[in-house]
């Protein structure tokens, strides 16, 4: 435990931010701001307060304390898997990564599964995407399927053991009725590091469930 | 002395079946019908990358052997004017809408071979086409890949002097 105090309501604010920016995206914003204001002790306090409830924030704060800093989002390795793909369904939300992809592939039609375990104002989330992203529900995903369609899912965690952690929406997407309606199933691992706490909010899935897996 | 009990065969481990599936070989067999490499990779996944492992193994054996026969007979590519029958991506029943055409897989059925089975029966081509293209995609697409080969082989055999 550290002696640094952080504002009341931090957990509530983080929960809202994680719902609309993504677990990693929100953690980056919070850790950046807290580090600027309270230094490493503040980041450690953030981890103590929120870490067990938000495992991605915990891992990201831990990396921060080890000297890691968020960088530019690279998309070239993801674009390589989008050759011949016209339509992309995104599962899970990491707003910085989604923004980078929207900018990097102007010809791509993108849908975002507007469903997650965390509450979110999806109209607000979609409005942030500059008109390039359409919201779909679980049934609507079928309307985006096709031989030139792909799914991209944000995942987390070290893949050393052959598994990663995916948001619950992925569990529907990789059902046997849906897997073969998409040419590619791409995993984008935005936090390829081991979790120190139980990775609640996510589900452990096989790396081999994806046709491609790339680290951020 | 009684005859030894006949064992059908030992059950193969799933991993052992997976090890003998040669994706490159299957892709080469499909190439005349699916010239686009990305689409070919998708279809190879559909046929031997998904579904029950015994189906993957069976589909691979049948298609690879038919491909071997086609190669030995010098069957190259299908005639360009053969439109074929599309293989639809099946929607869950509650999402099917009248008049809305489903998406289709990048492999069409060359149903010519089915006419050899008609024997005066009308409609056999349509009925069997429906049977061949229904069911889960790994099943339907393996059917179509095999039937395309058989149709091409029959044409080649019948064209011989």
């Amino acid at each position: 435990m550290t002696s640094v105090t952080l504002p009341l309501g931090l957990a509530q604010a983080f929960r809202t931010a994680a719902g609309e920016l993504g677990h990693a995206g929100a953690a980056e914003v919070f850790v950046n701001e807290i580090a600027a204001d309270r230094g490493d002790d503040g980041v450690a306090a953030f981890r103590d307060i929120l870490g067990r409830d938000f495992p991605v924030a915990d891992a990201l704060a831990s990396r921060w304390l080890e000297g890691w800093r968020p960088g530019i989002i690279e998309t070239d390795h993801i674009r390589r898997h989008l050759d011949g793909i016209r339509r992309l369904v995104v599962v899970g939300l990491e707003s910085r990564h989604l923004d980078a992809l929207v900018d990097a592939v102007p010809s791509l039609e993108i849908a975002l599964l507007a469903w997650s375990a965390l509450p979110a104002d999806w109209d607000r989330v979609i409005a942030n995407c500059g008109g390039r992203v359409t919201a779909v529900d679980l049934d609507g995903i079928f309307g985006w399927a096709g031989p030139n369609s792909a799914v991209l899912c944000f995942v987390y965690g070290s893949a050393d053991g052959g598994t990663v952690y995916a948001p619950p929406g992925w569990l529907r997407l990789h059902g046997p009725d849906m897997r073969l309606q998409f040419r590619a199933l791409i995993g984008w691992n935005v936090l390829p590091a081991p979790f120190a706490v139980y990775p609640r909010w996510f589900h452990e899935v096989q790396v081999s469930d994806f046709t491609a897996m790339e680290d951020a | 002395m009684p005859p030894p009990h006949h064992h059908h065969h030992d059950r193969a481990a799933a991993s052992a079946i997976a090890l003998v599936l040669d994706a490159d070989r299957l892709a080469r067999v499909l190439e005349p019908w699916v010239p686009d490499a990305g689409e070919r990779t998708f279809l190879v996944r559909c046929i031997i990358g998904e579904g029950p492992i015994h189906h993957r193994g069976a589909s691979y054996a049948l298609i690879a052997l038919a491909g071997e026969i086609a190669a030995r007979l010098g069957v190259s590519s299908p005639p360009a004017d053969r439109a074929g029958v599309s293989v639809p991506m099946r929607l869950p029943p509650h999402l099917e809408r009248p008049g809305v055409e489903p998406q289709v897989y990048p492999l069409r059925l060359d149903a010519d071979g089915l006419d050899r089975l008609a024997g005066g029966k009308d409609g056999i081509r349509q009925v069997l086409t429906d049977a061949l293209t229904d069911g889960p995609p790994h099943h339907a697409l393996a059917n179509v890949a095999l039937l395309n080969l058989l149709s091409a082989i029959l044409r080649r055999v019948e064209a011989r002097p």
Side-chain angles (χ1 to χ4, degrees):
Chain A
M1 289 291 287
T2 70
S3 57
V4 174
T5 56
L6 293 173
L8 287 172
L10 183 75
Q12 192 178 6
F14 184 81
R15 190 183 175 92
T16 301
E20 299 190 10
L21 299 176
H23 283 263
E28 282 179 16
V29 171
F30 274 59
V31 166
N32 257 324
E33 294 299 319
I34 290 169
D37 195 49
R38 312 281 171 93
D40 279 2
D41 284 350
V43 175
F46 169 77
R47 207 182 158 198
D48 280 342
I49 294 167
L50 284 180
R52 292 200 58 209
D53 283 340
F54 295 98
V56 170
D58 182 80
L60 199 137
S62 163
R63 294 178 91 192
W64 177 285
L65 293 171
E66 291 165 1
W68 171 87
R69 295 293 178 269
I72 293 169
I73 309 284
E74 298 289 346
T75 56
D76 286 353
H77 57 324
I78 301 297
R79 289 174 61 182
R80 278 199 293 277
H81 299 294
L82 297 175
D83 213 26
I85 300 297
R86 283 191 300 107
R87 312 181 90 194
L88 184 72
V89 175
V90 175
V91 179
L93 174 63
E94 285 299 343
S95 57
R96 274 221 309 145
H97 293 74
L98 182 57
D99 286 348
L101 194 64
V102 164
D103 290 343
V105 196
S107 61
L108 195 63
E109 295 177 56
I110 302 174
L112 175 67
L113 176 63
W115 183 80
S116 71
L118 279 170
D121 180 334
W122 290 105
D123 290 340
R124 194 160 56 196
V125 171
I126 294 294
N128 280 333
C129 301
R132 285 284 314 283
V133 176
T134 305
V136 286
D137 60 16
L138 285 171
D139 279 349
I141 287 171
F142 280 99
W144 281 70
N148 304 110
S149 299
V151 173
L152 182 144
C153 181
F154 293 114
V155 300
Y156 310 84
S158 165
D160 289 350
T163 61
V164 289
Y165 289 89
W170 170 253
L171 300 184
R172 173 67 192 94
L173 254 293
H174 96 103
D177 60 333
M178 211 177 257
R179 291 182 58 81
L180 291 181
Q181 304 220 357
F182 291 91
R183 190 198 288 196
L185 306 166
I186 305 158
W188 193 355
N189 194 341
V190 297
L191 189 78
F195 287 111
V197 297
Y198 171 62
R200 65 190 76 243
W201 305 107
F202 304 105
H203 302 278
E204 189 173 18
V205 298
Q206 300 291 319
V207 171
S208 58
D209 289 344
F210 298 83
T211 61
M213 177 64 68
E214 296 287 354
D215 288 348
Chain B
M1 190 174 165
H5 182 70
H6 176 70
H7 288 280
H8 178 51
H9 59 70
D10 293 327
R11 191 172 303 287
S15 57
I17 299 175
L19 275 177
V20 301
L21 305 179
D22 183 341
D24 292 338
R25 180 174 186 144
L26 184 57
R28 283 196 300 277
V29 173
L30 292 175
E31 189 166 356
W33 288 270
V34 193
D36 181 90
E39 291 179 343
R40 221 160 42 236
T41 302
F42 177 37
L43 287 167
V44 168
R45 174 165 75 88
C46 289
I47 295 170
I48 61 167
E50 305 270 351
I53 191 71
H54 71 280
H55 253 297
R56 304 185 202 189
S59 297
Y60 174 73
L62 294 170
I63 296 168
L65 273 182
E68 185 64 26
I69 294 169
R72 291 188 189 194
L73 290 175
V75 171
S76 52
S77 54
D81 60 348
R82 261 167 223 292
V85 181
S86 60
V87 183
M89 291 184 168
R90 305 284 174 187
L91 288 170
H94 72 291
L95 295 178
E96 288 175 353
R97 299 280 180 271
V100 177
E101 288 298 314
Q103 291 282 324
V104 297
Y105 285 98
L107 179 67
R108 299 174 78 84
L109 173 69
D110 171 1
D112 268 12
L114 298 175
D115 291 339
R116 276 73 165 182
L117 304 175
K121 292 195 238 2
D122 283 344
I124 196 169
R125 180 177 178 135
Q126 186 192 344
V127 167
L128 292 182
T129 292
D130 183 57
L132 285 158
T133 57
D134 200 6
H138 66 84
H139 210 154
L141 292 166
N143 288 344
V144 170
L146 182 58
L147 205 88
N148 286 354
L149 282 158
L150 295 178
S151 290
I153 289 166
L154 278 167
R155 272 196 300 274
R156 184 83 179 98
V157 169
E158 287 166 0
R160 285 187 155 187

